[in-house]
Amino acid sequence: MQYSKLCFTFILLTISFKAPFTRSENLSCSSYDLTSLTNFSSFIDYGLDWNTSDSDCCTWIGVACDNSSVTSKRVVRLELGSRRLQGIISESLAGLDQLRILNLSQNDLHGSLPARLFHLQNLEIIDLRNNDFAGPIPGGSNLSSIRYIDISGNNFIGSVDAALCESSSYIHTINLGNNYFTGEVPANFGRCSSLQQLFLNDNQLSGSFSESLWQLRNLRILHLQHNLVSGPLNDEIGKLSNLVELDISSNRFSGILPDAFERLEKLENFFASSNNFSGHLPKSLVNSPYIILSEFEQQHPKWNLRALVIPNCELRGSIPTWLSGSKMLQLLDLSWNRLSGTIPFWLHEFNYLFYMDLSNNSFTGEIPESLTQLQGIWGFRPTLDLSYNNLTGPLWPGFGNLKELHVLKLKENHLSGAIPDSFSGMINLEVLDLSYNDLSGEIPLSLEKLSFLSKFSVAYNQLQGDIPAGGQFLTFPPSSFEGNEGLHGRQPTPFQPQQAPHDAQLADEETTIIGLQFGLGVMSGFLFTVYLKLRIGLGVCKDKINNHQAQ
């Protein structure tokens, strides 16, 4: 009898403990959350395909819940980005008091934001970018758990409210860019001690560079471009030792750039174009291991830059984007430096460019196919020299469209594939050097049509087949074809290792821009180009800049 009572008691206990777990598996969303989301949906005119007759809102598209409650599930994520939603955000959305992630980005929502939305204590991420929200940001926000907020690309107005910095010590990203905020950068931004990314760009902010920003020692990205901020940029910028990217372009900054960039050891990108800076480049900026030239150099478009000649200056980094605005550029020489990265695709947009020398650097990636659209001016036969880099990929057939091209040098890269038959379209070509690559296939017979070709080399590739015997090919020495075991028709000279490393070839005859054999007319054009370079161009090495500063 005692045993039976004991078993019965155990069964009851088992049932009583098992019941909550069984119920949790079948829980639906909280009635509070269901009401909040149902009301929210009633203000969305288009794009929200919710079945509100389903009482379990946790199954709705974009809604995620957890089992934080014993009696029901609570909504913790609402992710409805890029769903073409139209309508407004109702006050009822603030009823989701367990919400951690709110993503309504990339939609067509409009109207103002409910003030209660900025008092959700569990909210960690707010992403409302690229909508049509308007009005001021509700003041007195209290988002104690917020880590990330992005409201960029809207129509918000009023002053910037940095109350987030006072209510949360976890926030690491604030993006208020592309709105209509006015006034000065608030002083309480300095309380965002964990802030790593701050975007205030493309607004109407004014005043001076806020001293509160110097306190953001963890800041990695700071964008202030396209505002009305004025005054100097002082030495305090050096306190932002973790800064990787700084953009203050298109403002009203003035004075001399501070010589404090040596403390910004992690800085890789600095943009300061279209300001009122004066004086010389600070030595610490010129010597930066990553930055070529500060973008503040284009602060006077009135320069109408036509020549940029900075060879053999040990420049590092990539080709700066500010150069893309120099539409009148005619001569570009950045050879014999330590530039890296890919060659920008936008170089073809220089309609007047007739000479480009990017040789002897460390550029990688493919040759931009857009370079096949380069054109020359004034009857000059343009030159393109990309030799001695680490370029890969194919030779684009489109180069055959450059009928005025005079010199094409692609020596010492890692280019592969076949030599396009269309290269015969470069009917004015006089120098073609494709040596020391990984090219394969045959030498196109169509190249015999290049009647002006006086210098040609495909040495040390993986070419095969017969060497063309017509046209100018009879005048080329065997050394033009050596190092290709599969080629036939000539007796190649024995293999000879390269006589000198790249950095010892400064006097290489192949670096001649325009030779005497092209006539006095072409030479006079070259002299005029040099005149342009000296008069209106920018052709200085960092050593010259430093010497000028010392004086």
Side-chain angles (χ1 to χ4, degrees):
M1 184 66 177
Q2 291 286 42
Y3 178 80
S4 300
K5 289 183 179 179
L6 181 62
C7 288
F8 180 72
T9 304
F10 178 78
I11 293 172
L12 287 177
L13 288 173
T14 303
I15 294 174
S16 63
F17 277 109
K18 186 177 180 180
F21 293 99
T22 304
R23 287 198 303 271
S24 66
E25 294 176 358
N26 300 317
L27 294 178
S28 60
C29 71
S30 162
S31 59
Y32 299 107
D33 294 345
L34 176 63
T35 300
S36 297
L37 291 177
T38 302
N39 290 338
F40 166 76
S41 66
S42 66
F43 288 86
I44 302 300
D45 304 321
Y46 175 83
L48 194 58
D49 299 324
W50 282 350
N51 180 12
T52 54
S53 62
D54 183 356
S55 62
D56 188 6
C57 62
C58 296
T59 63
W60 297 356
I61 295 175
V63 179
C65 303
D66 70 359
N67 297 330
S68 58
S69 172
V70 176
T71 58
S72 62
K73 295 181 180 180
R74 298 306 308 273
V75 174
V76 293
R77 296 204 309 270
L78 183 60
E79 303 196 42
L80 297 173
S82 302
R83 293 192 174 273
R84 300 181 181 179
L85 302 183
Q86 297 178 7
I88 64 174
I89 295 182
S90 67
E91 190 83 19
S92 62
L93 193 61
L96 302 175
D97 56 14
Q98 297 299 312
L99 195 64
R100 299 174 194 166
I101 298 176
L102 175 61
N103 180 6
L104 299 176
S105 63
Q106 312 270 12
N107 285 297
D108 295 316
L109 300 171
H110 60 277
S112 58
L113 298 180
R116 290 179 56 204
L117 194 63
F118 287 80
H119 291 269
L120 293 176
Q121 296 297 298
N122 294 295
L123 199 58
E124 300 176 9
I125 296 175
I126 301 178
D127 191 350
L128 305 178
R129 59 192 158 93
N130 296 334
N131 279 281
D132 290 316
F133 294 118
I137 299 298
S141 60
N142 184 20
L143 299 169
S144 57
S145 301
I146 196 69
R147 295 185 291 112
Y148 177 101
I149 181 169
D150 189 344
I151 59 172
S152 62
N154 283 283
N155 300 308
F156 291 115
I157 61 172
S159 59
V160 173
D161 184 6
L164 295 171
C165 300
E166 300 178 1
S167 61
S168 174
S169 58
Y170 307 105
I171 191 164
H172 62 74
T173 298
I174 297 178
N175 191 343
L176 309 180
N178 287 281
N179 282 287
Y180 296 94
F181 291 115
T182 56
E184 298 186 9
V185 177
N188 50 356
F189 259 128
R191 300 183 182 180
C192 286
S193 57
S194 299
L195 198 61
Q196 297 181 22
Q197 301 183 91
L198 177 58
F199 302 89
L200 301 173
N201 53 284
D202 295 273
N203 281 285
Q204 298 175 10
L205 300 176
S206 57
S208 59
F209 199 101
S210 176
E211 294 183 0
S212 64
L213 298 179
W214 306 135
Q215 304 173 35
L216 304 178
R217 305 301 171 83
N218 292 307
L219 199 62
R220 294 175 54 82
I221 298 177
L222 175 58
H223 282 192
L224 279 173
Q225 70 269 25
H226 297 284
N227 278 289
L228 305 173
V229 184
S230 59
L233 189 69
N234 60 42
D235 292 340
E236 298 293 301
I237 188 72
K239 292 182 177 180
L240 302 180
S241 57
N242 286 300
L243 209 58
V244 175
E245 183 167 308
L246 174 62
D247 193 341
I248 58 172
S249 57
S250 299
N251 276 284
R252 297 178 179 178
F253 287 105
S254 59
I256 300 175
L257 278 173
D259 195 12
F261 289 88
E262 74 281 352
R263 288 182 282 168
L264 303 179
E265 297 179 353
K266 299 181 181 180
L267 188 64
E268 297 181 7
N269 299 300
F270 173 51
F271 307 98
S273 62
S274 300
N275 280 286
N276 297 312
F277 288 116
S278 59
H280 306 292
L281 284 172
K283 184 182 300 184
S284 57
L285 182 59
V286 174
N287 291 334
S288 170
Y290 297 103
I291 301 173
I292 298 179
L293 292 173
S294 165
E295 289 224 333
F296 92 102
E297 289 177 348
Q298 204 185 11
Q299 61 190 303
H300 305 297
K302 67 182 181 183
W303 281 8
N304 203 15
L305 189 65
R306 299 186 184 183
L308 179 61
V309 183
I310 320 180
N312 196 28
C313 289
E314 296 191 2
L315 300 177
R316 301 172 185 263
S318 57
I319 295 178
T321 55
W322 62 260
L323 187 61
S324 63
S326 303
K327 301 301 183 184
M328 302 299 293
L329 195 68
Q330 300 171 16
L331 190 152
L332 176 62
D333 187 351
L334 298 175
S335 61
W336 291 97
N337 283 291
R338 299 185 181 182
L339 302 177
S340 58
T342 57
I343 297 176
F345 73 95
W346 41 258
L347 290 177
H348 79 281
E349 297 176 1
F350 299 140
N351 295 326
Y352 301 96
L353 188 67
F354 66 90
Y355 182 84
M356 183 193 300
D357 189 350
L358 303 179
S359 64
N360 292 277
N361 281 286
S362 300
F363 292 113
T364 57
E366 296 184 347
I367 298 174
E369 190 172 8
S370 60
L371 291 187
T372 61
Q373 304 173 32
L374 280 172
Q375 300 295 330
I377 60 165
W378 298 341
F380 292 139
R381 296 180 177 92
T383 293
L384 178 59
D385 191 347
L386 304 177
S387 303
Y388 298 102
N389 281 287
N390 297 310
L391 300 172
T392 57
L395 299 174
W396 300 112
F399 278 119
N401 298 325
L402 303 179
K403 299 184 182 301
E404 299 299 321
L405 195 62
H406 160 65
V407 174
L408 178 58
K409 294 182 180 180
L410 302 175
K411 180 179 181 179
E412 284 273 357
N413 281 286
H414 302 288
L415 302 173
S416 59
I419 301 175
D421 187 75
S422 61
F423 268 33
S424 61
M426 295 181 283
I427 57 177
N428 286 293
L429 202 62
E430 299 194 40
V431 176
L432 177 59
D433 194 341
L434 305 176
S435 60
Y436 292 92
N437 278 287
D438 299 314
L439 300 176
S440 58
E442 299 182 345
I443 301 176
L445 290 176
S446 60
L447 298 186
E448 294 179 348
K449 300 176 183 178
L450 299 178
S451 57
F452 292 99
L453 199 60
S454 61
K455 206 167 189 177
F456 176 81
S457 180
V458 289
Y460 298 100
N461 279 281
Q462 301 174 24
L463 299 172
Q464 56 187 349
D466 294 327
I467 296 175
Q472 295 291 97
F473 277 81
L474 291 174
T475 68
F476 301 144
S479 59
S480 296
F481 309 99
E482 65 182 0
N484 293 277
E485 295 180 358
L487 283 180
H488 309 286
R490 294 286 185 91
Q491 293 296 325
T493 58
F495 175 81
Q496 295 290 335
Q498 202 165 356
Q499 297 299 317
H502 298 169
D503 56 1
Q505 301 176 8
L506 284 171
D508 190 346
E509 64 178 3
E510 293 182 358
T511 60
T512 303
I513 296 179
I514 297 179
L516 291 175
Q517 66 267 34
F518 304 135
L520 294 177
V522 177
M523 178 58 72
S524 62
F526 172 68
L527 294 176
F528 179 69
T529 300
V530 174
Y531 167 77
L532 286 176
K533 176 183 70 174
L534 295 176
R535 182 173 177 84
I536 56 178
L538 180 61
V540 291
C541 293
K542 67 179 182 180
D543 289 336
K544 295 181 181 179
I545 296 175
N546 293 342
N547 292 336
H548 190 69
Q549 283 184 315
Q551 295 174 0

